[in-house]
Amino acid sequence: MAIIGAGSVGSGVAFACLMRSVVSELLINDFNTKVCEGQVLDLQDAAFVSSTKVRVGTPKECGQADIIVITAGARQRPGESRDELVQRNQDILKSVLDGMQPIKSTAILMLVANPVNVLTCMAQKMSGLPPHQVIGTGTYLDSIRFRVAMKERLRVSESSVHAYVVGDHGDKQVAVWSSANVGGKPLLSFEELQGLNQDDVAHQVAHKAYGIIDLKGATSFGIAAVVSELALCITLNKLSVIPLSVYCPRFDACLSFPVSLGTNGVERIVYPEMNEKELALVQASAEATRKVCSNF
């Protein structure tokens, strides 16, 4: 597995994967070679509790990894939307992908940098890999935040809350309340949720990252845990259903929807049942994504 970018997110991803022994070897690459070497030396000190080996990898070596995670990107500034990052991160993505060519034909390419839907679309065009092998972390973390918010109100584990945030990883994301459930019981039929302001909950979920960025400058631990779980799904062919950024034929755009993820990448897309309002919001998000991607 290769991780491109040794900043707070990339090093966090590496540490999470190391602690879980997700893969046999981790390659780390960053244009700042001094920082990259320092991160690798630090990670190697933690490797005694893991079966995973860590070392610096060249761009060409990283291009031959089974899983390639791209965390390299311009950091989101306080008050800056993810969409405003497009131009800065497009240039970085092109440089990274060009440096790794030719990329291993069976590799799974995972985008973490934002705006993740747009960068996933760009990577599908630039990498030369089939669309089902190019994914973005999408709304996986948002969906976890949504489930945790419901867990705290219902006193159940978050894994028992079957609820998804779809579409955009950002301000235009859509919390799908209409088909969310716990144990087969519709989420909104629970007594504890009567009178709940759904818009307030969805807003809190969508904007949690901004609060973290305002306080400490970046988010890293949550997304690191997400990537480690995705890598495990791929290496073990778990075929877990997880909301990720993929090309969605139904909307003709890269959006985040639940997919079955395994060794070969995306096996199928699962579109949850949505009411008219939710569907309209997703369609608006798809249109915005298509518009941005048409410029590249």
Side-chain angles (χ1 to χ4, degrees), residues 1-2 62 64-68 104 106-109 234:
M1 176 174 167
C62 291
Q64 298 307 303
D66 295 318
I67 303 171
I68 304 169
K104 186 176 182 178
T106 57
I108 306 300
L109 183 62
I234 294 166

Side-chain angles (χ1 to χ4, degrees), residues 6-25:
S8 59
V9 174
S11 59
V13 167
F15 185 71
C17 291
L18 183 66
M19 290 299 97
R20 301 180 71 185
S21 298
V22 170
V23 292
S24 60
E25 185 176 47

Side-chain angles (χ1 to χ4, degrees), residues 203-215:
H203 183 272
Q204 290 168 12
V205 168
H207 288 77
K208 183 174 182 181
Y210 295 130
I212 296 171
I213 291 168
D214 285 343
L215 290 168

Side-chain angles (χ1 to χ4, degrees), residues 58-91:
T58 67
K60 293 294 185 182
E61 286 177 319
C62 291
Q64 298 307 303
D66 295 318
I67 303 171
I68 304 169
V69 180
I70 299 180
T71 70
R75 177 175 290 189
Q76 190 172 355
R77 298 162 179 157
E80 182 180 33
S81 74
R82 293 181 177 96
D83 287 345
E84 290 169 343
L85 284 171
V86 172
Q87 186 59 58
R88 290 193 291 152
N89 277 344
Q90 187 234 356
D91 296 339

Side-chain angles (χ1 to χ4, degrees), residues 6 28 30 32-44 56:
I28 316 292
D30 195 286
N32 188 328
T33 56
K34 183 178 179 180
V35 168
C36 186
E37 184 177 352
Q39 295 285 32
V40 167
L41 290 172
D42 200 7
L43 287 162
Q44 286 173 343
V56 174

